[in-house]
Amino acid sequence: MRRFTLAPKFILFFSVLLTAVVIMAVIGFQGMINIRAGGEEIYRNYLTSIVNLRNAEQQLADIALLQKAHIIAPNETVMKDIEAEMAQARDGFRQSMRAFAVTLDAGEESELYYQYLAGVENLFELNEKIIELSIVNNDIEADAISEGSFARVYRRVFDLGKQMLETNIEGGEALSQRNNADFEKVKLSELIIFTIVMGLFFALGVLVRRHLIDALKELTDTMKALAAGDLNRHVPLMGRTDEIGDMARATRQFKEMALQLEESEELAKASASAKSDFLASMSHEIRTPLNGVLGIVELLQDTELSEQQKQYLKTVERSGRVLNHVINDILDYSKIEAGAMELNPQPFDFHSFLEQLESTFQIKKRSDISFNLISEGSIPKYLVGDEPRLHQIIGNLLSNAFKFTEKGSVTLTVLVSEQSDKEAVILFKVSDTGIGISPGNQVHIFEPFRQADQSTHRRFGGTGLGLVICRQLVERMGGQVDLKSQEGQGSTFYVSLPMAIASEEAITAISHSDIQPTLAADHSRIQVLLVEDNATNQIVACGLLKKLGVQVRVAENGIEAVDLVCNSGQNYDLILMDCEMPLMDGYEVTRRIRQWEKTKQKDSVKICALTAHAVQEYLDRCYEAGMNEHIIKPYKMQELQLLVEGVSAQSMPLQ
C-alpha cells in the first residue's frame, strides 16, 4: 500500500501546535482559577473576621451589662439567671475569637490577638470577683472594681479589638492587592500565550497556503485550461514527490491523453472527410457514365426495335435503375452515419401523394401479386412533411414487400391513429404474404448490411441498407417503426408518423401551385445552351432535347460557355450546366454569367445544373453560385420536359 508523504507533515505540525495550545491554555486557565479561588477565599476570610470581631465586641458589651445587672439584682434567682447568661456570653466570645484566629496570619496580628485574649481573661477574672462580692452583698467593693480596674481593662480590650479589626482589614486589602497583581500577571501570560498561538496559526496558514492552496489553485487553473482546449498549457509542480506531485503527474497524463484524443479526432475527421469525398467522387464517376447508358436506352426505346431488342433494353434500364438505387442508399447511409441527413418539411397534398404511390406500384405489380391501397376518408388532405423522404420510406417498404412475395398480395393501409386541431398521427401498414422473417432475424433486421440470412441475400439481392435508412428517417421525423412477421406467412411493417396539419395559407399556396399553365405545343422558339464536356452525355442530352423540339447549342467547356453567353450576342432561354469540367467548372461559369448580367443590366437566364453529385454540399454550391434549379444524373426525359415546359410557359406572350 502506498504511503502518503504530504499528509504526515501537516498532521505532525498540527499535532505539535495543538498540543502546545492545549498545554498553555490549561496552565493559564488553571492559574486564573487558582487566583480567582484565592481571591474568593481572602474575601470570605475578610468578611468572617469582621463578623467574628463584631460578635466578640458585642458579647463583651453584653458581659459588661450583665455584670452591672448582677450587682443590682433584687434577689438570688435573678442573679443566677444573669450568671447563666454571662456564662453563655463568655462561651460565645471564646468561639468567636477562635474563629477569628483561624483567619489570621502569623506575625503582628497574632501578637495583638494574644494581648486581646489576655485582656479578656483578666476581664473574666474581674467579672468573677465582682460576682463573688455581689453574692456576699459587698456591693461597694464590687462597684469599685467594676468602675475601676474592670472598666480600664474593658477599654484596653476594646481598643485592642478595634486595632485588630483595622489590622485585619489592612491585611485583607494587602492580600487583595497581591491577588490582583497575580491576576494581572496571569492575564499578561494569557495574552502572551494567545499571541504565540496566533503566530503559530499564522505560520501554519502560510505553510498551508504555500504548499497546498497555491499548488492546488495552480493545478486547478491548469486543469481548467486543458479542459477548455488549451493543450499547450504547461503542467507545473512535476518535481514534487508528495500527493501534489502525484496530482501534477496525473494532470500531465490527462494532457497527453487529451492530445492523443485530439489527434485521433483529427484523424477520424480526416477519415470521415476522405470517406465523404470518396463517396461523392465515386457517386459522380458512376452516375456520369450511367447517365449515358440510361439516356441512350431511353433514346433507343423510341426507335424501331424488335420485341427481343425491346426486352434487352428494358433489362439494361432496370439494371441501371437498380445500380442508381444502390448508389442512393450508400449515400443516404453515409449521411445518416455522419449526422448530416437533413429533412425539409413542407406543406403537401397527402391524398395526391397516396395516389402517386398507388399508381407507381400498380405498374410494378406482377400478374400473380395483387396490390391494394386502403385509406381512411378522415385523413387530412394537406399535411406538413418531407414528401420525397416519406415517399422513400413507404416506397422502400413496398418494394421489399413485392421483392419477398412470390404470390399473394401486398397491401398498404393508411389511417389516422390520433388527431388534434394542429397535428395528426398517420399510421402506415405495409403487409405482404411473402416469405416472412424468423424471430431470431427480426432482432437484426434494422441493422446495417443485414438481411434475414445469407440465402435471402443470394436469392433476392440488395445492400441491406434500405430498412436502416427507413428507420433512421422515421425516427428523425419523430415517428416509430415496428414489425410483426411469421416465417412462411408474411410480414407487416408499421410506420407511425406525427405530421402537422397544413394551415389555410399553406393550403391556398399548394392549390395555386397545382394549377398547370397552358403550355405551347411548339417549343421551337426555346433556345437552350448545353454546357457539357462528356461526349456521351452530349449525345444523350441533345437527343432528348431535340425530341422536345427545342433549339440546342453545345459548349464543350466553361470558357466556351462564357464566350457564347457574354460575347456572341445570342440570347438563351435556358442553360443546362454541367458542374465538373476542365478549364473552368460550372460554378465559376455561373458566377461570371451572373456578374455579366448585372453589369449589362440583362434579365437573368434560367440556369439548371446537370450534375452527377447527389450530396447536399455540392447542390448547395450550385445555388450559391447563382443556379436556379438542379437535375441529378442519371435523369429522365420527363425531368427535362418539365423544365422546358416551365421555361416555355414563362416566355409565352400574354393573351
Side-chain angles (χ1 to χ4, degrees):
M1 183 180 294
R2 185 187 185 281
R3 297 183 62 187
F4 293 99
T5 58
L6 180 63
K9 296 178 182 178
F10 288 97
I11 292 174
L12 178 61
F13 183 86
F14 186 76
S15 299
V16 172
L17 176 63
L18 184 61
T19 303
V21 170
V22 171
I23 292 173
M24 289 186 287
V26 168
I27 293 173
F29 287 130
Q30 187 62 45
M32 294 179 69
I33 291 171
N34 292 338
I35 292 172
R36 185 175 295 278
E40 290 176 354
E41 185 177 359
I42 291 171
Y43 184 67
R44 285 195 301 271
N45 291 341
Y46 166 69
L47 292 178
T48 302
S49 64
I50 293 174
V51 171
N52 290 333
L53 281 174
R54 293 296 185 191
N55 290 336
E57 290 176 359
Q58 183 63 43
Q59 289 158 355
L60 284 175
D62 292 343
I63 290 171
L65 291 174
L66 289 170
Q67 180 180 315
K68 291 181 179 182
H70 187 275
I71 294 173
I72 62 174
N75 55 53
E76 185 177 352
T77 301
V78 174
M79 291 177 64
K80 288 183 179 180
D81 292 338
I82 293 172
E83 288 174 3
E85 291 182 13
M86 289 176 66
Q88 185 178 357
R90 285 196 297 270
D91 291 339
F93 173 79
R94 287 189 176 94
Q95 291 178 2
S96 297
M97 292 310 297
R98 282 196 295 270
F100 176 72
V102 174
T103 63
L104 293 178
D105 293 333
E108 182 182 357
E109 296 86 347
S110 298
E111 185 64 28
L112 289 174
Y113 173 69
Y114 292 128
Q115 292 178 14
Y116 183 79
L117 288 181
V120 170
E121 291 297 330
N122 192 8
L123 283 176
F124 288 165
E125 291 174 358
L126 292 172
N127 180 258
E128 292 291 339
K129 191 173 182 179
I130 292 170
I131 291 173
E132 291 175 357
L133 291 173
S134 297
I135 292 173
V136 297
N137 296 320
N138 191 355
D139 294 335
I140 296 173
E141 187 177 354
D143 288 339
I145 295 172
S146 177
E147 294 177 359
S149 59
F150 185 87
R152 289 193 302 272
V153 174
Y154 180 81
R155 284 193 297 271
R156 172 63 178 166
V157 170
F158 184 81
D159 290 339
L160 286 172
K162 183 178 180 181
Q163 186 177 358
M164 287 174 62
L165 182 61
E166 292 174 351
T167 303
N168 183 261
I169 292 173
E170 291 174 357
E173 290 177 350
L175 287 174
S176 178
Q177 289 175 358
R178 288 199 302 272
N179 183 68
N180 290 335
D182 292 339
F183 192 78
E184 290 298 325
K185 291 179 181 178
V186 172
K187 286 173 64 179
L188 180 61
S189 300
E190 287 295 309
L191 179 60
I192 294 172
I193 291 172
F194 176 78
T195 304
I196 294 173
V197 170
M198 292 306 296
L200 291 174
F201 272 111
F202 178 76
L204 177 62
V206 172
L207 182 64
V208 170
R209 179 178 179 84
R210 180 178 299 173
H211 291 275
L212 279 179
I213 298 176
D214 290 346
L216 290 174
K217 183 178 183 302
E218 196 171 1
L219 282 177
T220 301
D221 292 341
T222 302
M223 286 295 294
K224 287 181 179 179
L226 293 176
D230 183 10
L231 299 181
N232 295 322
R233 180 71 172 261
H234 171 69
V235 179
L237 308 172
M238 292 289 294
R240 289 181 60 157
T241 58
D242 52 19
E243 285 75 20
I244 299 295
D246 293 341
M247 292 177 63
R249 285 182 284 277
T251 304
R252 177 62 181 270
Q253 291 178 355
F254 171 79
K255 175 183 176 180
E256 292 175 352
M257 293 174 61
L259 287 171
Q260 293 175 0
L261 181 62
E262 184 181 48
E263 184 178 355
S264 300
E265 186 178 1
E266 291 297 327
L267 290 174
K269 288 181 179 179
S271 176
S273 177
K275 177 182 176 181
S276 298
D277 292 342
F278 172 76
L279 289 175
S281 177
M282 290 304 298
S283 171
H284 180 273
E285 295 304 316
I286 293 174
R287 289 175 189 276
T288 298
L290 187 59
N291 182 69
V293 172
L294 295 178
I296 294 296
V297 167
E298 191 168 4
L299 290 174
L300 284 172
Q301 286 175 341
D302 288 337
T303 62
E304 293 184 4
L305 299 171
S306 65
E307 289 301 320
Q308 187 177 25
Q309 289 172 333
K310 290 180 180 180
Q311 188 63 36
Y312 289 160
L313 286 177
K314 287 183 179 180
T315 303
V316 173
E317 182 183 22
R318 185 165 54 251
S319 299
R321 299 299 174 193
V322 170
L323 178 59
N324 188 47
H325 182 72
V326 170
I327 295 170
N328 290 336
D329 279 353
I330 293 174
L331 288 177
D332 283 344
Y333 179 72
S334 176
K335 293 176 187 176
I336 291 172
E337 192 179 43
M341 176 65 75
E342 296 181 358
L343 300 176
N344 183 29
Q346 297 289 335
F348 69 102
D349 186 338
F350 187 75
H351 291 181
S352 176
F353 164 77
L354 293 180
E355 291 172 0
Q356 292 175 11
L357 272 178
E358 183 178 22
S359 175
T360 300
F361 285 93
Q362 285 291 358
I363 296 173
K364 290 185 177 181
K365 73 175 184 179
R366 302 190 300 271
S367 58
D368 50 354
I369 302 176
S370 63
F371 173 60
N372 303 301
L373 172 62
I374 303 172
S375 63
E376 284 187 346
S378 61
I379 301 176
K381 181 175 176 61
Y382 296 102
L383 297 173
V384 178
D386 192 328
E387 183 180 6
R389 291 299 182 185
L390 182 60
H391 192 285
Q392 180 181 357
I393 294 167
I394 307 304
N396 185 278
L397 295 177
L398 288 172
S399 296
N400 284 346
F402 277 102
K403 181 194 296 186
F404 297 111
T405 301
E406 295 181 348
K407 61 180 180 179
S409 64
V410 174
T411 303
L412 171 62
T413 304
V414 186
L415 52 90
V416 178
S417 60
E418 297 178 29
Q419 185 172 349
S420 64
D421 293 338
K422 296 183 178 180
E423 186 180 74
V425 179
I426 309 299
L427 178 63
F428 300 86
K429 294 195 297 183
V430 178
S431 305
D432 63 62
T433 58
I435 61 175
I437 305 169
S438 66
N441 287 323
Q442 290 180 32
V443 179
H444 307 289
I445 198 68
F446 289 103
E447 295 178 3
F449 309 107
R450 293 292 294 267
Q451 291 185 338
D453 52 43
Q454 289 300 316
S455 62
T456 302
H457 174 70
R458 289 191 298 269
R459 181 178 176 186
F460 297 99
T463 61
L465 291 175
L467 289 178
V468 180
I469 295 170
C470 285
R471 184 173 189 173
Q472 292 290 338
L473 288 174
V474 169
E475 290 179 353
R476 285 179 179 271
M477 293 177 179
Q480 294 179 335
V481 181
D482 199 4
L483 163 67
K484 288 184 180 179
S485 181
Q486 188 171 353
E487 193 170 11
Q489 296 187 15
S491 305
T492 300
F493 284 85
Y494 299 85
V495 175
S496 178
L497 282 176
M499 304 178 75
I501 299 175
S503 63
E504 294 293 335
E505 295 80 2
I507 293 173
T508 303
I510 295 172
S511 300
H512 287 317
S513 65
D514 289 339
I515 300 175
Q516 298 295 330
T518 303
L519 302 179
D522 184 9
H523 303 317
S524 59
R525 296 179 293 102
I526 304 298
Q527 298 290 326
V528 178
L529 176 62
L530 174 65
V531 186
E532 174 66 71
D533 66 315
N534 184 280
T536 302
N537 286 329
Q538 288 177 9
I539 295 172
V540 170
C542 289
L544 295 176
L545 289 169
K546 288 179 179 178
K547 289 176 65 175
L548 294 174
V550 301
Q551 302 295 318
V552 184
R553 179 73 182 270
V554 178
E556 296 184 354
N557 57 65
I559 295 176
E560 183 180 353
V562 172
D563 184 61
L564 288 174
V565 173
C566 302
N567 301 322
S568 66
Q570 175 66 50
N571 293 325
Y572 294 97
D573 302 296
L574 174 65
I575 300 177
L576 299 176
M577 183 74 69
D578 184 25
C579 294
E580 302 293 339
M581 295 181 293
L583 302 180
M584 184 183 295
D585 60 37
Y587 310 111
E588 181 61 26
V589 173
T590 302
R591 281 191 287 268
R592 295 197 180 190
I593 292 174
R594 295 305 186 205
Q595 183 61 41
W596 174 79
E597 290 172 341
K598 183 178 180 180
T599 303
K600 299 296 184 179
Q601 297 182 345
K602 298 281 188 178
D603 293 335
S604 295
V605 61
K606 176 175 282 192
I607 302 178
C608 178
L610 292 182
T611 178
H613 286 301
V615 181
Q616 189 63 42
E617 176 186 352
Y618 289 92
L619 299 180
D620 291 340
R621 288 180 62 188
C622 295
Y623 293 103
E624 289 171 1
M627 300 183 197
N628 305 102
E629 296 185 31
H630 74 274
I631 295 177
I632 298 176
K633 300 175 183 177
Y635 48 81
K636 296 181 179 180
M637 183 172 178
Q638 288 87 339
E639 295 176 90
L640 292 178
Q641 182 178 357
L642 288 174
L643 186 63
V644 170
E645 288 177 348
V647 173
S648 178
Q650 292 176 2
S651 62
M652 284 179 60
L654 296 176
Q655 300 294 329

